[in-house]
Amino acid sequence: MIESAKVAVVGVGNNTSALVQGLNFYRRTGSLVGIHRPEVAGLGVGDVDVVAAFAISDAKVGRDLHEAIFLPPNNFPRLDAELPPSGVTVQRGLVDATEIERLAQSLEGAEVLLYSAPSGRPETARAYAEAALAAGVAFVNTTSDAVAREASRLERFTTAGVPLIGDDLASQFGSSVVHRALLRLLEERGLTLVSSYQVNLGGTEDFRNLVENPNTKQQSKANAVGSDKVQMAPLGYLSHLGSQKIAHLNVEAQGWGGTEVSLDVRLKVHDPSGAAGVNIDLVRMAAGALRAGRGGYLPEAAALLKSPPGTAI
């Protein structure tokens, strides 16, 4: 029987709540609803154990992980009434880059470090990546901050035989994935794109942070869509949406003889669920690659990312 992947998480917010709750749900029920890949690198959905968690919130540090994921401002709903204590106590995360050695020591026993803190803190993201490299632990960057796209860091991970995956998730079924598919369909059917835009509204704390620190996210979304004719409206934070995100997509095109084609789409999803549905694959890819001695970027992860190496920073 294959040994479970051992994962440490940075950030005990909604995305971690969705992932942790989902692991318990799928392990208990055996359900495959919402699962893209039942098995990755020989690892099933239930073959992932969270062995460490890091946060900077005073309210969450020192709490059991299964308690901390339900504390405000988290607002992702409870998936399952049965969630016993995890036995993992949330530890204090990095305060600054001088604590890299401490963090690296705290990663003992982990194979993958899943960085799921808010975007817009590039120095912090890079410090966690350095801690992972020092500990020989694969690093998965779910944020739009440039980590895996930086050539010198990617080279060092490759040389060390440690996987480095990023940057930024292409949500399991989010606005960027849907938008890109629509644009690809236009091209495949011979229509000419005239213009397009995307508007995103959300109610999570991470969404509020992105409203205040939008630069890297805007670039990452542009990378994901892959067309200079698409405009990204500023992100909008609406607290009453909770963990849900609403996206409005518009496509204006020309068909035969220059005739007008116009398409408007409204998408409503639980944003953290979309992240968890991708993270479960990324951490299994990373664990499998680490065990196989494959360092650096993993090409098989490209479809799950908005800004893999080679895209704009």
Side-chain angles (χ1 to χ4, degrees), residues 108-125:
E108 183 177 357
E111 296 175 284
V112 180
L113 181 58
L114 178 67
Y115 184 74
S116 192
S119 295
R121 303 171 183 173
E123 293 306 319
T124 301

PDB file of all heavy atoms in Angstrom, residues 108-125:
ATOM      1  N   GLU A 108      10.011  19.267   9.108  1.00  0.00           N
ATOM      2  CA  GLU A 108      10.460  17.882   9.218  1.00  0.00           C
ATOM      3  C   GLU A 108       9.256  16.931   9.170  1.00  0.00           C
ATOM      4  O   GLU A 108       8.270  17.110   9.878  1.00  0.00           O
ATOM      5  CB  GLU A 108      11.219  17.670  10.529  1.00  0.00           C
ATOM      6  CG  GLU A 108      11.789  16.274  10.676  1.00  0.00           C
ATOM      7  CD  GLU A 108      12.606  16.101  11.951  1.00  0.00           C
ATOM      8  OE1 GLU A 108      12.774  17.103  12.683  1.00  0.00           O
ATOM      9  OE2 GLU A 108      13.067  14.980  12.191  1.00  0.00           O
ATOM     10  N   GLY A 109       9.337  15.944   8.320  1.00  0.00           N
ATOM     11  CA  GLY A 109       8.243  14.991   8.167  1.00  0.00           C
ATOM     12  C   GLY A 109       7.305  15.322   7.027  1.00  0.00           C
ATOM     13  O   GLY A 109       6.480  14.486   6.645  1.00  0.00           O
ATOM     14  N   ALA A 110       7.402  16.534   6.474  1.00  0.00           N
ATOM     15  CA  ALA A 110       6.555  16.929   5.346  1.00  0.00           C
ATOM     16  C   ALA A 110       7.264  16.649   4.025  1.00  0.00           C
ATOM     17  O   ALA A 110       8.489  16.661   3.945  1.00  0.00           O
ATOM     18  CB  ALA A 110       6.190  18.397   5.435  1.00  0.00           C
ATOM     19  N   GLU A 111       6.480  16.396   2.984  1.00  0.00           N
ATOM     20  CA  GLU A 111       7.016  16.226   1.638  1.00  0.00           C
ATOM     21  C   GLU A 111       6.683  17.416   0.746  1.00  0.00           C
ATOM     22  O   GLU A 111       7.416  17.708  -0.208  1.00  0.00           O
ATOM     23  CB  GLU A 111       6.438  14.963   0.989  1.00  0.00           C
ATOM     24  CG  GLU A 111       6.809  13.675   1.662  1.00  0.00           C
ATOM     25  CD  GLU A 111       6.105  12.487   1.030  1.00  0.00           C
ATOM     26  OE1 GLU A 111       4.895  12.318   1.305  1.00  0.00           O
ATOM     27  OE2 GLU A 111       6.756  11.757   0.255  1.00  0.00           O
ATOM     28  N   VAL A 112       5.571  18.083   1.028  1.00  0.00           N
ATOM     29  CA  VAL A 112       5.092  19.186   0.196  1.00  0.00           C
ATOM     30  C   VAL A 112       4.691  20.337   1.093  1.00  0.00           C
ATOM     31  O   VAL A 112       4.032  20.135   2.121  1.00  0.00           O
ATOM     32  CB  VAL A 112       3.870  18.756  -0.653  1.00  0.00           C
ATOM     33  CG1 VAL A 112       3.377  19.919  -1.509  1.00  0.00           C
ATOM     34  CG2 VAL A 112       4.198  17.544  -1.515  1.00  0.00           C
ATOM     35  N   LEU A 113       5.069  21.557   0.696  1.00  0.00           N
ATOM     36  CA  LEU A 113       4.606  22.770   1.370  1.00  0.00           C
ATOM     37  C   LEU A 113       3.652  23.482   0.413  1.00  0.00           C
ATOM     38  O   LEU A 113       4.061  23.954  -0.648  1.00  0.00           O
ATOM     39  CB  LEU A 113       5.774  23.682   1.732  1.00  0.00           C
ATOM     40  CG  LEU A 113       5.405  24.984   2.462  1.00  0.00           C
ATOM     41  CD1 LEU A 113       4.662  24.693   3.761  1.00  0.00           C
ATOM     42  CD2 LEU A 113       6.652  25.823   2.743  1.00  0.00           C
ATOM     43  N   LEU A 114       2.386  23.522   0.788  1.00  0.00           N
ATOM     44  CA  LEU A 114       1.358  24.167  -0.026  1.00  0.00           C
ATOM     45  C   LEU A 114       1.195  25.596   0.463  1.00  0.00           C
ATOM     46  O   LEU A 114       0.677  25.831   1.558  1.00  0.00           O
ATOM     47  CB  LEU A 114       0.039  23.400   0.096  1.00  0.00           C
ATOM     48  CG  LEU A 114      -1.167  23.975  -0.652  1.00  0.00           C
ATOM     49  CD1 LEU A 114      -0.960  23.892  -2.158  1.00  0.00           C
ATOM     50  CD2 LEU A 114      -2.448  23.245  -0.244  1.00  0.00           C
ATOM     51  N   TYR A 115       1.614  26.561  -0.360  1.00  0.00           N
ATOM     52  CA  TYR A 115       1.550  27.972   0.025  1.00  0.00           C
ATOM     53  C   TYR A 115       0.211  28.540  -0.410  1.00  0.00           C
ATOM     54  O   TYR A 115      -0.034  28.801  -1.586  1.00  0.00           O
ATOM     55  CB  TYR A 115       2.704  28.754  -0.612  1.00  0.00           C
ATOM     56  CG  TYR A 115       2.743  30.194  -0.166  1.00  0.00           C
ATOM     57  CD1 TYR A 115       3.185  30.536   1.105  1.00  0.00           C
ATOM     58  CD2 TYR A 115       2.333  31.214  -1.020  1.00  0.00           C
ATOM     59  CE1 TYR A 115       3.212  31.856   1.526  1.00  0.00           C
ATOM     60  CE2 TYR A 115       2.367  32.540  -0.605  1.00  0.00           C
ATOM     61  CZ  TYR A 115       2.802  32.847   0.662  1.00  0.00           C
ATOM     62  OH  TYR A 115       2.819  34.167   1.079  1.00  0.00           O
ATOM     63  N   SER A 116      -0.679  28.715   0.575  1.00  0.00           N
ATOM     64  CA  SER A 116      -2.043  29.169   0.308  1.00  0.00           C
ATOM     65  C   SER A 116      -2.381  30.408   1.120  1.00  0.00           C
ATOM     66  O   SER A 116      -3.518  30.605   1.526  1.00  0.00           O
ATOM     67  CB  SER A 116      -3.040  28.039   0.624  1.00  0.00           C
ATOM     68  OG  SER A 116      -4.312  28.330   0.123  1.00  0.00           O
ATOM     69  N   ALA A 117      -1.378  31.253   1.330  1.00  0.00           N
ATOM     70  CA  ALA A 117      -1.590  32.535   2.002  1.00  0.00           C
ATOM     71  C   ALA A 117      -2.134  33.537   0.985  1.00  0.00           C
ATOM     72  O   ALA A 117      -2.172  33.258  -0.219  1.00  0.00           O
ATOM     73  CB  ALA A 117      -0.279  33.035   2.604  1.00  0.00           C
ATOM     74  N   PRO A 118      -2.563  34.713   1.429  1.00  0.00           N
ATOM     75  CA  PRO A 118      -3.078  35.702   0.476  1.00  0.00           C
ATOM     76  C   PRO A 118      -2.017  36.158  -0.528  1.00  0.00           C
ATOM     77  O   PRO A 118      -0.826  36.229  -0.207  1.00  0.00           O
ATOM     78  CB  PRO A 118      -3.508  36.869   1.381  1.00  0.00           C
ATOM     79  CG  PRO A 118      -3.769  36.244   2.705  1.00  0.00           C
ATOM     80  CD  PRO A 118      -2.755  35.141   2.827  1.00  0.00           C
ATOM     81  N   SER A 119      -2.452  36.451  -1.753  1.00  0.00           N
ATOM     82  CA  SER A 119      -1.549  37.024  -2.754  1.00  0.00           C
ATOM     83  C   SER A 119      -1.183  38.449  -2.369  1.00  0.00           C
ATOM     84  O   SER A 119      -1.801  39.060  -1.502  1.00  0.00           O
ATOM     85  CB  SER A 119      -2.229  37.027  -4.128  1.00  0.00           C
ATOM     86  OG  SER A 119      -2.482  35.723  -4.591  1.00  0.00           O
ATOM     87  N   GLY A 120      -0.157  38.976  -3.025  1.00  0.00           N
ATOM     88  CA  GLY A 120       0.259  40.351  -2.784  1.00  0.00           C
ATOM     89  C   GLY A 120       1.346  40.493  -1.746  1.00  0.00           C
ATOM     90  O   GLY A 120       1.648  41.600  -1.309  1.00  0.00           O
ATOM     91  N   ARG A 121       1.954  39.370  -1.337  1.00  0.00           N
ATOM     92  CA  ARG A 121       3.052  39.401  -0.371  1.00  0.00           C
ATOM     93  C   ARG A 121       4.239  38.623  -0.946  1.00  0.00           C
ATOM     94  O   ARG A 121       4.607  37.561  -0.451  1.00  0.00           O
ATOM     95  CB  ARG A 121       2.614  38.792   0.960  1.00  0.00           C
ATOM     96  CG  ARG A 121       1.402  39.478   1.571  1.00  0.00           C
ATOM     97  CD  ARG A 121       0.857  38.706   2.767  1.00  0.00           C
ATOM     98  NE  ARG A 121      -0.347  39.341   3.304  1.00  0.00           N
ATOM     99  CZ  ARG A 121      -1.102  38.806   4.258  1.00  0.00           C
ATOM    100  NH1 ARG A 121      -0.760  37.632   4.779  1.00  0.00           N
ATOM    101  NH2 ARG A 121      -2.187  39.430   4.693  1.00  0.00           N
ATOM    102  N   PRO A 122       4.828  39.137  -2.036  1.00  0.00           N
ATOM    103  CA  PRO A 122       5.844  38.366  -2.769  1.00  0.00           C
ATOM    104  C   PRO A 122       7.062  37.986  -1.947  1.00  0.00           C
ATOM    105  O   PRO A 122       7.583  36.878  -2.082  1.00  0.00           O
ATOM    106  CB  PRO A 122       6.219  39.289  -3.936  1.00  0.00           C
ATOM    107  CG  PRO A 122       5.772  40.657  -3.517  1.00  0.00           C
ATOM    108  CD  PRO A 122       4.569  40.446  -2.672  1.00  0.00           C
ATOM    109  N   GLU A 123       7.522  38.878  -1.067  1.00  0.00           N
ATOM    110  CA  GLU A 123       8.712  38.554  -0.269  1.00  0.00           C
ATOM    111  C   GLU A 123       8.425  37.407   0.689  1.00  0.00           C
ATOM    112  O   GLU A 123       9.283  36.544   0.929  1.00  0.00           O
ATOM    113  CB  GLU A 123       9.192  39.790   0.487  1.00  0.00           C
ATOM    114  CG  GLU A 123       9.727  40.907  -0.407  1.00  0.00           C
ATOM    115  CD  GLU A 123      10.824  40.407  -1.340  1.00  0.00           C
ATOM    116  OE1 GLU A 123      11.686  39.606  -0.893  1.00  0.00           O
ATOM    117  OE2 GLU A 123      10.811  40.801  -2.527  1.00  0.00           O
ATOM    118  N   THR A 124       7.227  37.381   1.239  1.00  0.00           N
ATOM    119  CA  THR A 124       6.844  36.286   2.135  1.00  0.00           C
ATOM    120  C   THR A 124       6.760  34.977   1.364  1.00  0.00           C
ATOM    121  O   THR A 124       7.248  33.933   1.829  1.00  0.00           O
ATOM    122  CB  THR A 124       5.487  36.589   2.793  1.00  0.00           C
ATOM    123  OG1 THR A 124       5.586  37.814   3.518  1.00  0.00           O
ATOM    124  CG2 THR A 124       5.091  35.477   3.743  1.00  0.00           C
ATOM    125  N   ALA A 125       6.155  34.999   0.194  1.00  0.00           N
ATOM    126  CA  ALA A 125       6.044  33.792  -0.629  1.00  0.00           C
ATOM    127  C   ALA A 125       7.427  33.238  -0.956  1.00  0.00           C
ATOM    128  O   ALA A 125       7.667  32.022  -0.865  1.00  0.00           O
ATOM    129  CB  ALA A 125       5.274  34.102  -1.901  1.00  0.00           C
TER     130      ALA A 125
END
